[in-house]
Amino acid sequence: EPEVTQTPSHQVTQMGQEVILRCVPISNHLYFYWYRQILGQKVEFLVSFYNNEISEKSEIFDDQFSVERPDGSNFTLKIRSTKLEDSAMYFCARTSGGTIQETQYFGPGTRLLVL
Amino acid sequence: AQSVTQLGSHVSVSEGALVLLRCNYSSSVPPYLFWYVQYPNQGLQLLLKYTTGATLVKGINGFEAEFKKSETSFHLTKPSAHMSDAAEYFCAVGQGGKLIFGQGTELSVKP
């Protein structure tokens, strides 16, 4: 099955600015996930999203973060007032169903650098 | 809560040699286990997964992994390494609807 696509592939922003990362599913899937990977560290779960609602979020996913699917296709992760420690690779993933047995298909990621 | 430990952040093998990447998990329930590979500048690609049934799981590119409950392990192997196998490999356990990843192991293959 095809992966999702993500835009942009790279983004550089100034500390305190807002960024929006986009995930574009190839087909009409309902289950989406965001993960991040700080350089040299583990891939960490941020949030899962089903049927236009957050189904689970990690402790990392605080009020600085939000997700939405504004136009029924793109799935976005918004980071308000970015901090230096937000610099990371952000991955979107999707499944056909919502159970963990389902394979999560990952996009190529967006590399975010906060200066 | 589930967790994953990958022993060895870097593994180097010669082309044609056996590849063994180690993964141990901690889980209070029957685990769902995954191996993903990440090539440079690419996303995570599923190599194989264990959910139920046969404990020896075969994946893409000649990789396989064996689920050993008694050892809480899910080591990844390939009989003969190829240069194209050089990448970072992640073991993960499913928890609820999300994946919990290990630290990753970078595999390098020497000619």
Side-chain angles (χ1 to χ4, degrees):
Chain A
E1 294 185 52
E3 298 173 346
V4 297
T5 61
Q6 291 183 242
T7 60
S9 58
H10 295 79
Q11 179 146 6
V12 180
T13 189
Q14 296 292 320
M15 190 170 57
Q17 296 297 304
E18 175 182 283
V19 296
I20 297 176
L21 311 182
R22 291 183 174 80
C23 175
V24 184
I26 302 298
S27 56
N28 190 25
H29 290 95
L30 295 176
Y31 297 88
F32 298 93
Y33 308 80
W34 283 102
Y35 293 81
R36 78 172 183 190
Q37 184 182 26
I38 296 172
L39 187 63
Q41 297 186 24
K42 294 183 181 185
V43 177
E44 302 172 290
F45 169 77
L46 291 177
V47 65
S48 57
F49 189 83
Y50 165 65
N51 203 23
N52 296 323
E53 290 185 358
I54 291 175
S55 51
E56 185 176 357
K57 59 183 181 180
S58 73
E59 58 189 25
I60 302 170
F61 193 88
D62 59 20
D63 292 343
Q64 183 194 9
F65 294 90
S66 62
V67 289
E68 62 179 4
R69 200 175 182 194
D71 55 7
S73 61
N74 290 356
F75 175 50
T76 63
L77 173 68
K78 183 187 292 185
I79 309 175
R80 289 181 282 273
S81 188
T82 49
K83 298 177 263 189
L84 296 177
E85 54 265 39
D86 295 326
S87 296
M89 193 77 162
Y90 288 81
F91 293 105
C92 174
R94 58 87 179 158
T95 58
S96 301
T99 60
I100 195 54
Q101 297 96 316
E102 300 276 346
T103 296
Q104 293 192 15
Y105 294 94
F106 285 77
T110 294
R111 186 175 297 281
L112 175 65
L113 178 60
V114 182
L115 301 176
Chain B
Q2 282 94 330
S3 65
V4 174
T5 302
Q6 291 183 240
L7 188 61
S9 58
H10 293 89
V11 170
S12 181
V13 300
S14 297
E15 192 172 19
L18 171 71
V19 175
L20 171 61
L21 304 182
R22 298 178 187 275
C23 173
N24 288 88
Y25 68 90
S26 169
S27 177
S28 57
V29 298
Y32 298 118
L33 297 161
F34 305 79
W35 275 99
Y36 280 84
V37 61
Q38 184 181 28
Y39 298 103
N41 300 315
Q42 295 188 28
L44 299 168
Q45 180 183 1
L46 182 72
L47 275 178
L48 49 80
K49 66 180 181 181
Y50 169 79
T51 53
T52 58
T55 57
L56 182 62
V57 181
K58 295 187 184 299
I60 62 171
N61 302 338
F63 284 93
E64 62 183 35
E66 186 171 10
F67 168 58
K68 292 187 176 180
K69 184 178 178 181
S70 61
E71 299 177 7
T72 61
S73 69
F74 191 57
H75 302 331
L76 181 71
T77 60
K78 182 174 180 177
S80 177
H82 191 272
M83 297 296 290
S84 61
D85 294 326
E88 185 139 23
Y89 292 79
F90 294 93
C91 183
V93 62
Q95 178 176 313
K98 64 183 182 287
L99 296 172
I100 306 298
F101 285 89
Q103 294 274 31
T105 298
E106 184 176 355
L107 175 67
S108 57
V109 182
K110 299 174 292 187

